[in-house]
Amino acid sequence: MTARSHMDTVVVKYGGSSLAGLDQIRAVARQVAGRHRAGQRIVVVVSARGDTTDDLLGLAAQLGVTGGDRELDQLLATGETASAATLSMALQQLDVPAVSLTGPQCGILGTGKHGAAIIVAVDTERVSAVLQSGHVVVTAGFQCINANGDTVTLGRGGSDTTAVAIAAELRVPLCEIYTDVLGVYTADPRIVGGARLLPSVDIGVMSEMSFAGAKVMHSRAVELAAMYGVRIRVAHASKPGGGTVIGSQNGEEMLEASTAVMAVVHDPDVARVTLRVRAQPLDVLQALARSSLPVDMADLREGSDGESAFQMTVRRSDTGAVRESLRETVDRGRGTLDVDASVGKLSVIGTGLLSRPEYAARMVSALATADIPARSITSSQSRISVTVPDSELVRAVGVLHDEFGLESTVGDTVNQV
Amino acid sequence: MTARSHMDTVVVKYGGSSLAGLDQIRAVARQVAGRHRAGQRIVVVVSARGDTTDDLLGLAAQLGVTGGDRELDQLLATGETASAATLSMALQQLDVPAVSLTGPQCGILGTGKHGAAIIVAVDTERVSAVLQSGHVVVTAGFQCINANGDTVTLGRGGSDTTAVAIAAELRVPLCEIYTDVLGVYTADPRIVGGARLLPSVDIGVMSEMSFAGAKVMHSRAVELAAMYGVRIRVAHASKPGGGTVIGSQNGEEMLEASTAVMAVVHDPDVARVTLRVRAQPLDVLQALARSSLPVDMADLREGSDGESAFQMTVRRSDTGAVRESLRETVDRGRGTLDVDASVGKLSVIGTGLLSRPEYAARMVSALATADIPARSITSSQSRISVTVPDSELVRAVGVLHDEFGLESTVGDTVNQV
């Protein structure tokens, strides 16, 4: 951690869709060059260009590698490294001194599984020295170095996390994330025509939105920002001034909010798992923890006959791994494991939701009126989630967006970008 | 340097054309797998796949970067890194444990300019540990790490040098280089139909051939092999048993050679530079040395009036850099610098050439008979070179191949591969 706050330093992340073509790279370089000439010290974090990551994943799949593999990480990391070097060249062509750094060169230290690593620290010595010498730093996101000297990746969207980690370590108060959407909306604007761009979102609310399935920000990046007090601006690469600022909002701002429900988030990548087994709840929970797979909407009921019923949602792509991790528990407890992959998850996100119990009732009632059956309700202060048939998921988002008046609060509706 | 010779360890390099398609990668993986199962410890060094390097150079050129640049090295190195990870996955798919290493991870330590670095040492600790654990090591060639922690590349063909350096440091007696030609020929088989594959070549002769323009091996790789007593087998990737063995041959073998001329080598990437200037020869030589550009056929004549005439050949692509490095000397000495880019270099390679002066005479005479003017003759014990008009270069190779009877010595002529 550096000793003082670099108030003149900015950390800016550009997503792969903003760097796909050479013209786009040149446009990003012009933006960065303008800020460099205005006297800012700039760390740019980049994702792999365009479809690079998908192409590399396709290559690996042809060789039987589908994820969580050391060699896949070596391969995938080349995408961000090439992207960083390319943007650095484009900056130099504008006479802006620039140095690209891989994650390892940038001191991004990580731990954990390949494809799902966690940043443990950022050794900013080199970044600080390069900034000090008047260069723009262009860092390859998504990748870090582990204790073996191997490259490990953070999983998809991990470049956001890289940017926030660098901002946190450099004590830069605002991290700017430029992407292909205009910011954070009250619902996915591709689904709800009247979805409204939120000029600001509390970071706790954003964390729930990301976890509930909002794609605009990687949930770990949001959690890291919350932990280190970094504010995030999410904006479209071509409109750097606008977008949504994500930060901790004080109580006063919260009281002024006209409604406690701020957004509707949907997630189609969901399967509901139901486990009935004679086992201690602890055994089931430990088996799940060992799998390191994200689980949501967990619900446990112990029956009087010693049989427990567990219900939870998992990522649809994780169902095989979940089955595998629970196989022994199921076999030993002579139980059953059912997977329903025909559901989607629908969440309303806000603050103090449990303090006003009418929200859960309104949510289920509005869906019922629209003939959409809601199941597996779970709620917390910041989120109420239900599962609905996935064929009804998109319609359900619109129903709830209307029910909670998210469009009508202000007039500036924004169409799909 | 490891303490003992790894007699059971092999170092094998595959060129980019042998790894271009997924089927080729699988074929290489099967070869390596067979040797792994036979009990060999294997270090595979790979180049970037197919046209990757050219594609990346094209991208960089569009951003105004043409060579010798830190960012270009960051970009280019992704080619070999991806290639290594991909081959490693293909090996794992055959149930062969494999670990890919970048040049830096592999402990390839280098120094010097970007795009033209020199390997100073190989820290084999990690390679040895990975081999010891029963894994195949797949190393990205062409790249090393410098004292700043930056990636620097060795220049084109540098993967050969990586392979020889690892073999030298591991004390592996034979380094196998698999490429898209069958081995070393008496002349380029694409030009001379009767060119003959040489089953073995003295390493000193090979060094001259590489420097004179033979593309089959990188000249620095040959020099490194000579320095550390590593023998090299150059063969086609699909015919691993054959090819040419390059090594130091003892006097007896040399005496048995029926002719002292072993090959004709041509190099079209040549320009002749003529410098007339009032300057100390030392000034000119120092200016050239500072440029670090390869110069051949240097000839210096001091005139009685204090004006010196220098003549030399340089790579045609280097002429701009040569002009730049000599500009000050030319200006100060009120001299002139002429560049003739319409020539090619033609060399006969052998042993003891100066001991038998008739070879130079036969060379020039045969060319004259064929109406090909030869200029700028330079000779050493192992090479006689002339420049000829580049329009006559290909024909001249055939004339000399005939003159020195390189085809007729044995019957096994090999057609173009």
Side-chain angles (χ1 to χ4, degrees), chain A residues 353-367:
Chain A
L353 298 181
L354 289 183
S355 315
R356 307 180 215 185
E358 72 270 22
Y359 284 120
R362 276 175 68 186
M363 182 175 179
V364 177
S365 159
L367 291 171

Side-chain angles (χ1 to χ4, degrees), chain B residues 67-80:
Chain B
D69 181 271
R70 180 188 180 282
E71 300 308 319
L72 183 59
D73 274 3
Q74 291 268 94
L75 183 66
L76 289 179
T78 62
E80 282 73 19

Side-chain angles (χ1 to χ4, degrees), chain B residues 173-368:
Chain B
L174 179 70
C175 176
E176 303 169 43
I177 308 270
Y178 293 110
T179 176
D180 54 358
V181 296
L182 290 175
V184 181
Y185 283 81
T186 53
D188 186 336
R190 289 170 298 185
I191 285 177
V192 178
R196 188 165 50 85
L197 181 68
L198 295 164
S200 67
V201 177
D202 178 75
I203 200 153
V205 171
M206 189 67 228
S207 181
E208 285 289 350
M209 288 179 71
S210 293
F211 193 79
K215 294 282 173 287
V216 61
M217 279 287 302
H218 194 261
S219 63
R220 268 187 299 150
V222 178
E223 287 157 22
L224 200 64
M227 206 179 303
Y228 287 95
V230 174
R231 289 163 77 90
I232 297 172
R233 179 192 294 280
V234 181
H236 194 279
S238 67
K239 296 183 177 63
T244 302
V245 173
I246 303 163
S248 58
Q249 298 178 339
N250 61 37
E252 224 161 351
E253 285 172 17
M254 284 292 105
L255 288 174
E256 287 173 3
S258 60
T259 172
V261 172
M262 298 191 65
V264 179
V265 175
H266 72 289
D267 187 355
D269 180 22
V270 165
R272 187 173 48 221
V273 174
T274 307
L275 174 70
R276 288 192 181 77
V277 67
R278 291 180 186 278
Q280 293 301 313
L282 188 63
D283 292 344
V284 176
L285 295 174
Q286 282 181 338
L288 287 170
R290 273 195 299 274
S291 73
S292 294
L293 298 164
V295 167
D296 191 26
M297 302 182 71
D299 180 58
L300 162 66
R301 271 164 227 162
E302 285 181 76
S304 55
D305 56 353
E307 187 177 88
S308 301
F310 300 86
Q311 209 167 63
M312 66 199 122
T313 60
V314 299
R315 272 195 226 131
R316 204 171 289 179
S317 48
D318 284 344
T319 48
V322 169
R323 268 186 204 281
E324 193 54 47
S325 68
L326 290 175
R327 186 182 307 279
E328 202 189 313
T329 309
V330 172
D331 288 352
R332 206 174 37 220
R334 296 185 303 280
T336 58
L337 181 76
D338 295 312
V339 174
D340 180 359
S342 69
V343 299
K345 185 165 70 180
L346 185 67
S347 307
V348 296
I349 312 286
T351 52
L353 298 181
L354 288 182
S355 316
R356 308 179 212 184
E358 72 270 23
Y359 283 119
R362 277 175 68 187
M363 182 174 179
V364 176
S365 159
L367 291 171

Side-chain angles (χ1 to χ4, degrees), chain A residues 22 26 59 62-64 69-72 74-75 82 85-86 88-89 92-93 99-100 105 126 148-150, chain B residues 22 26 59 62-64 70-72 74-75 82 85-86 88-89 92-93 99-100 105 126 148-150:
Chain A
L22 216 46
R26 290 193 174 108
L59 171 65
Q62 287 185 275
L63 294 167
D69 181 271
R70 180 188 179 282
E71 300 308 320
L72 183 60
Q74 292 268 94
L75 183 66
T86 306
S88 183
M89 289 180 197
Q92 291 177 354
Q93 201 172 30
V99 169
S100 77
Q105 287 171 344
R126 179 144 194 204
N148 293 336
D150 281 339
Chain B
L22 216 46
R26 290 193 173 109
L59 170 66
Q62 287 185 275
L63 294 168
R70 180 188 180 282
E71 300 308 319
L72 183 59
Q74 291 268 94
L75 183 66
T86 306
S88 183
M89 289 180 198
Q92 291 178 353
Q93 202 172 29
V99 169
S100 77
Q105 287 171 344
R126 178 144 193 204
N148 292 337
D150 280 339

